[in-house]
Amino acid sequence: MAYVIGVDVGGTFTDAVLDDGDGLLIGGKSPSTPPDYSQGVMDVLQVLADQLGQPLDEMLANTHHIAHGTTSSLNALVMGNVPDVGFLTTKGHRDSIYIMNVEGRYLGRSPEQLQNVMAQSKSHGLVHKRHALEVTERVDRDGRVVVALDEDEVRATVKTLLADGITAIAVSLLWSFRNPAHEQRIRDLVHEIDPTVFVALSSEVSPRIREFARNATTIMSTQIGPGLRDYLGQLEGTLREHKLAGPLLVMQSNGGAVAASEAPGNAISTVGSVLTGGVVGSVSLGRQLGHSNIIATDAGGTTFLVGMIVDGEPVRSSSTVINHHPINVPTLEVHAIGAGGGAIAWIDAGGNLQIGPHSAQAVPGPACYGQGGTEPTNTDANLVLGILPERGLLGGRKALDLQLAREAIRTKIAEPLGLSIEHAAAAIYAVQNAQTGDLLRKTVVEAGHDPRNFIVYAFGGSGPAHCGAYAQEIGVSQVVVPLGQVASAFSAYGLASSDIVLAKELSDPAALPLDPARVEQNFKVLEEQVREQLDRQGLTFSSVVLEREIDMRYAMQLAEVATPFPSGSLTSTEVAAAAETFENRYAELYGQGSGFREAGIQAITYRVRGTGVLPFTPELPELEVAASKDASAAHVGVRKVCLDGRQGYVDTDIYDYSGLRAGHMLKGPAIIEVPTTTVVVPHGTTGEIDRLGNLTITVDPT
């Protein structure tokens, strides 16, 4: 028997899911353990082993692979908790990362921040200027060497950096994506001086045109690469000591995994890796349930995440933004705000109630955890409102203190606003639902879609308590809450469901019409690189799928659109057809009539995405079908719960999920208690358990 395990390391909890490929699927949850997150991983693996009734070593010896997602890289970049690194670039181009083009003034800023021009700045330099140095060399736009690399100058420059305590160096030379020879030689020279220095090359990390984004991507990858290498090395070593048989894989932002040994070399690809797990899980579950248009929502302890699946495929992006810098990372498009269960409620200078983005995290946690936290959070409000049981979380393993929750809300929210504790808690619940609904609206509507054509999937430890409310905020009439053993560990289920996905790209700007031979040659180079890297993963694939695309744009514009290309030999007809595909996609994104064909069309960056399909994918097992729709056998009592401050506390039916079967139905308002989460079925909706154990919440027709 071979197990597949997915492990999702969040800021508050670490989740895991195990599948045996033969119908057994179990999930577990354990507190995260910053700063050493590897201990939390081992803790949650022990939870799985205990459920199996096996020693940890025996379970790991029978494990085909572990797919691991972590927010540590992203958190380190966002918070600036990264070591100083060196930066080497072509003479005359050092200041690109400080000038930041015009992008530095608008990337990553809200509309309100953009309007406040006087408060804008470009004070987000990634490296100290004394560590950003230049070397003499020049390659032209066609890849020809016009100025040779001054190797003696490189040696002297590197020694200067090392003398200042630098142990990691990012190298990004002008036009290196056309000819990487000088970057490769610099790495050789660095390692001649000190082979322990971590070196990242832009020609390997981000071989795209436009130096600012390429520089930023390479620098950030260098900042987190050594830490990721050390963390994964320690974790894999511990797992091997406990007899792990298969490889440790790391989730990437593109929705697929890569071997842990490969991840540090392109560390930036793992940024946001855990954010994509829920989207991948939603794709897998959507196929089982026949849903093709899905809004995936994940509310954990720290963040609220939203991703979209359209026509059965996750929405992708070729880049993202971190701290006002453009990052060249193919990724599943996931939007996030700090509005998880541990998001702190506070009052701004204008006397308005705000939720997040700061979180109580695992330590000290919400006030009700009794671990020293004094700030009121969503979790504290839900306990005061009766949504959460006083006996605690995780089936009672995580005790909750109602009086501590009430005291935090009283001192920080209720008294300053002149409200009762109960009304303050209801206000926190309402604001949380409104701002999460706003993120859904922004994600779906601004992408040109009608929310009414979608189904919301809601998961995470705190998501099911709010999903009925935030779905109704945008007019969605049906919500699926993945339950069974994956309940709040659904992102870990997505990790366990993931295949190996690798992406290689290169920029070769040219105006249409394109030479088919040139296009095919570029794709062949990338496909060879992808196949070589797939061979290094240490896994046997049931199949390998290669997908081609080119980022295209109208001439003189910046907006590029990923345009698919067919595999195999290309003719002029197929290449020309890509222009029509590009224009159709452009119109979908920006509106009919927004394109201007007469300006001409350009192909910019070529990309090949290779998927190594693993032998089996976890699927949710089917439940026993109930004899009738009556769910009274799972009814465990009634308690006063407030879901709407205007209605106050009302008697609400409480159900134990373990007693529910496929076909059972219940009317809202109701609460379903699951060991790892709590589900709210609001007034005016009906909940039904499907054949896979999920709860579908449907708005009652009026």
Side-chain angles (χ1 to χ4, degrees):
M1 181 178 295
Y3 302 128
V4 171
I5 299 175
V7 179
D8 168 6
V9 180
T12 306
F13 285 103
T14 297
D15 302 334
V17 163
L18 176 147
D19 180 88
D20 72 348
D22 197 29
L24 174 67
L25 188 71
I26 59 174
K29 180 182 285 285
S30 185
S32 295
T33 56
D36 180 13
Y37 287 97
S38 64
Q39 182 57 54
V41 173
M42 300 308 298
D43 290 345
V44 80
L45 291 176
Q46 184 64 60
V47 171
L48 295 180
D50 291 343
Q51 291 186 58
L52 286 174
Q54 295 181 6
L56 177 62
D57 289 13
E58 181 180 341
M59 179 186 77
L60 293 177
N62 290 316
T63 296
H64 182 270
H65 69 270
I66 294 177
H68 176 30
T70 176
T71 59
S72 60
S73 296
L74 177 61
N75 291 344
L77 289 174
V78 170
M79 295 185 294
N81 186 23
V82 291
D84 290 338
V85 301
F87 175 59
L88 299 182
T89 191
T90 303
K91 188 176 293 294
H93 290 265
R94 182 194 71 160
D95 286 338
S96 167
I97 56 174
Y98 306 107
I99 296 171
M100 298 175 69
N101 298 345
V102 71
E103 296 170 291
R105 289 202 177 275
Y106 68 82
L107 286 178
R109 300 184 191 275
S110 67
E112 293 78 13
Q113 291 172 322
L114 290 175
Q115 292 172 16
N116 189 0
V117 177
M118 298 302 293
Q120 296 173 17
S121 70
K122 295 182 179 179
S123 58
H124 301 281
L126 294 174
V127 295
H128 296 299
K129 285 197 172 183
R130 70 177 186 276
H131 296 150
L133 304 176
E134 301 175 336
V135 296
T136 300
E137 70 87 38
R138 192 60 182 263
V139 171
D140 70 11
R141 68 177 188 176
D142 296 318
R144 294 188 298 261
V145 175
V146 294
V147 176
L149 178 68
D150 187 333
E151 296 191 0
D152 290 337
E153 181 185 51
V154 171
R155 291 186 180 94
T157 301
V158 170
K159 290 177 181 178
T160 298
L161 290 173
L162 301 188
D164 206 14
I166 295 298
T167 59
I169 299 175
V171 183
S172 183
L173 305 179
L174 195 67
W175 298 106
S176 60
F177 62 90
R178 298 304 303 270
N179 183 348
H182 285 174
E183 286 194 352
Q184 293 168 351
R185 181 57 183 155
I186 288 176
R187 177 168 56 193
D188 293 340
L189 294 171
V190 171
H191 286 160
E192 285 177 9
I193 298 169
D194 186 344
T196 67
V197 174
F198 184 95
V199 180
L201 308 182
S202 73
S203 53
E204 296 175 354
V205 173
S206 177
R208 294 191 203 174
I209 195 171
R210 299 194 187 94
E211 62 178 314
F212 171 43
R214 184 171 70 253
N215 293 347
T217 304
T218 308
I219 291 170
M220 286 194 180
S221 195
T222 308
Q223 289 172 330
I224 60 176
L228 186 64
R229 175 196 60 196
D230 296 344
Y231 166 73
L232 291 176
Q234 176 186 342
L235 176 59
E236 187 163 21
T238 302
L239 290 169
R240 297 300 176 201
E241 291 175 3
H242 286 278
K243 314 303 182 187
L244 174 65
L248 173 66
L249 308 179
V250 179
M251 192 69 169
Q252 302 173 100
S253 304
N254 63 15
V258 65
S261 59
E262 297 268 319
N266 193 3
I268 197 68
S269 70
T270 68
V271 169
S273 64
V274 80
L275 311 185
T276 65
V279 177
V280 174
S282 296
V283 171
S284 177
L285 178 57
R287 289 171 182 160
Q288 295 182 68
L289 296 179
H291 298 153
S292 58
N293 290 340
I294 302 166
I295 306 169
T297 63
D298 181 357
T302 305
T303 53
F304 177 76
L305 314 169
V306 180
M308 290 180 62
I309 294 101
V310 179
D311 295 330
E313 292 295 327
V315 175
R316 301 179 185 274
S317 175
S318 60
S319 62
T320 188
V321 176
I322 300 177
N323 288 351
H324 312 294
H325 288 81
I327 307 300
N328 295 336
V329 179
T331 180
L332 300 190
E333 197 164 289
V334 177
H335 301 266
I337 56 174
I344 294 171
W346 55 285
I347 300 171
D348 65 19
N352 303 302
L353 176 62
Q354 304 284 347
I355 310 296
H358 300 294
S359 169
Q361 299 189 314
V363 179
C368 62
Y369 280 14
Q371 298 173 172
T374 59
E375 301 293 337
T377 66
N378 285 326
T379 298
D380 295 302
N382 287 353
L383 180 60
V384 170
L385 295 174
I387 295 170
L388 298 179
E390 288 189 48
R391 70 174 182 279
L393 305 174
L394 305 180
R397 290 190 292 120
K398 185 67 174 178
L400 299 179
D401 190 317
L402 176 60
Q403 293 309 312
L404 289 177
R406 290 178 61 86
E407 181 63 15
I409 293 174
R410 181 185 68 81
T411 58
K412 300 297 178 68
I413 305 297
E415 290 185 351
L417 292 180
L419 300 174
S420 68
I421 294 174
E422 292 76 14
H423 279 97
I428 293 172
Y429 185 74
V431 171
Q432 161 76 357
N433 294 334
Q435 67 183 22
T436 50
D438 284 344
L439 183 61
L440 263 68
R441 187 177 297 106
K442 174 183 175 62
T443 301
V444 181
V445 176
E446 290 188 5
H449 300 287
D450 186 339
R452 293 171 296 183
N453 296 329
F454 287 77
I455 291 175
V456 166
Y457 280 19
F459 41 91
S462 60
H466 297 267
C467 60
Y470 61 65
Q472 291 183 55
E473 281 272 334
I474 62 168
V476 173
S477 61
Q478 195 169 75
V479 180
V480 172
V481 182
L483 289 176
Q485 286 295 318
V486 300
S488 66
F490 189 70
S491 287
Y493 166 74
L495 297 173
S497 302
S498 64
D499 294 311
I500 299 293
V501 179
L502 304 173
K504 293 293 183 180
E505 54 190 25
L506 64 84
S507 288
D508 185 17
L512 272 64
L514 300 174
D515 176 8
R518 178 176 176 179
V519 173
E520 189 171 341
Q521 177 60 28
N522 283 339
F523 279 132
K524 283 184 176 180
V525 168
L526 294 175
E527 287 171 349
E528 183 177 347
Q529 293 175 0
V530 168
R531 288 187 181 277
E532 288 177 354
Q533 192 173 5
L534 283 171
D535 290 341
R536 297 198 301 266
Q537 301 307 302
L539 289 162
T540 300
F541 305 118
S542 58
S543 63
V544 172
V545 179
L546 299 179
E547 299 171 279
R548 298 171 166 182
E549 64 185 26
I550 299 180
D551 292 342
M552 304 178 75
R553 70 179 186 184
Y554 288 108
M556 306 304 292
Q557 284 197 357
L558 294 178
E560 297 175 3
V561 177
T563 305
F565 267 69
S567 59
S569 299
L570 297 173
T571 66
S572 297
T573 300
E574 291 162 328
V575 174
E580 183 177 349
T581 302
F582 159 74
E583 292 200 284
N584 290 337
R585 290 200 163 202
Y586 190 96
E588 290 175 2
L589 289 172
Y590 302 107
Q592 291 293 332
S594 58
F596 185 51
R597 180 66 177 267
E598 288 75 9
I601 298 174
Q602 297 174 327
I604 305 297
T605 299
Y606 292 70
R607 185 176 303 107
V608 169
R609 186 166 47 251
T611 301
V613 180
L614 294 172
F616 65 90
T617 299
E619 291 192 354
L620 298 178
E622 296 197 7
L623 284 188
E624 173 189 347
V625 178
S628 71
K629 295 182 179 181
D630 183 10
S632 58
H635 189 266
V636 294
V638 174
R639 69 169 176 257
K640 298 285 188 182
V641 178
C642 176
L643 300 177
D644 187 331
R646 295 165 298 183
Q647 297 179 358
Y649 287 77
V650 299
D651 290 336
T652 302
D653 292 314
I654 311 298
Y655 294 86
D656 180 355
Y657 176 75
S658 64
L660 294 172
R661 300 291 179 267
H664 276 156
M665 299 185 70
L666 45 93
K667 297 283 291 183
I671 286 177
I672 301 174
E673 294 181 346
V674 189
T676 52
T677 191
T678 299
V679 188
V680 169
V681 182
H683 176 78
T685 67
T686 299
E688 181 177 6
I689 302 296
D690 70 15
R691 60 185 176 84
L692 300 178
N694 308 303
L695 175 73
T696 299
I697 301 173
T698 305
V699 175
D700 296 337
T702 56

